[in-house]
Amino acid sequence: VLQRVLVIAPKRDRALFTESDLSLLDTVAALGAQSLHNATMLRDLEDARRLERDASRGDKRATLGILGAELAHEIAHPLQLFRGLLRKASRGPLSADDIDVGGDELARLERLLANMRRLEAPPPRRESVALGPVVARAALLGRELREDRRQQLVLDLPDDVTVLGDADAMVQIFANLLRNAAEAAPVRGALGAIARREGAHVVVDVWDDGPGVPDDRVDSLFQR
């Protein structure tokens, strides 16, 4: 059954679409289909909650709220990335790196969707992860917002720093932090991340030159 139609405007000067353009459009279409599926899944969960409202109604509402917040966060970043890639595609062929980034983001969303179908988080992986590429990938997801606000991004991450962790989860964390920084920083402002070693640990500071967190919001800082 046809659910939606993706309409693509002609390229500038009626130029022909390249293979890279078509590959990106396939990725965007797949992401849109995933989003529709996620919306259906949330609607089904809400229907189930109404049928069982007399049994642990508060707990189920909290679970659905967390699930919705997770979906909203995770879909917003790649959609912003793909919007920026489409803009680039309208000006000329995309680079191989752009196609790779789009493919990696689609794979990450597919893993997220698989986890949400089970309604549980998988056990975290503990593997050696190079910190610099993870933060750089997270920064790419917020590139369009920074470009719109004409902000400067400063990353100071040594190439040889590795940590034990889950790469997907780290991309999610740093993408959210950098987006928050971009939203807090002024137009033509600056934001970034800097890493330093403290004994056996690595500390990463994500910063911006905005006004800071208001005192009345500090207590709710880590609520979804």
Side-chain angles (χ1 to χ4, degrees), residues 179-195:
R179 180 179 179 85
N180 290 345
E183 292 174 342
V187 173
R188 299 186 185 278
L191 62 136
I194 182 171

Side-chain angles (χ1 to χ4, degrees), residues 70 73-74 77-78 105 108 112 124-125 129 131 134-142 163-182 191-193 202-207 221-222 224:
E70 188 77 8
H73 259 301
E74 285 308 291
H77 293 306
E105 275 307 294
R108 189 169 69 87
L112 175 70
R125 293 175 295 178
V129 179
L131 187 61
V134 163
V135 178
R137 173 58 54 81
L140 276 176
L141 299 182
V163 296
L164 286 178
D166 185 313
D168 283 354
M170 291 171 65
V171 169
Q172 176 182 352
I173 290 170
F174 284 113
N176 288 333
L177 289 174
L178 289 170
R179 180 179 179 85
N180 290 345
L191 62 136
V202 175
V203 176
V204 182
D205 293 325
V206 177
W207 59 269
L221 190 61
F222 293 100
R224 292 180 183 272

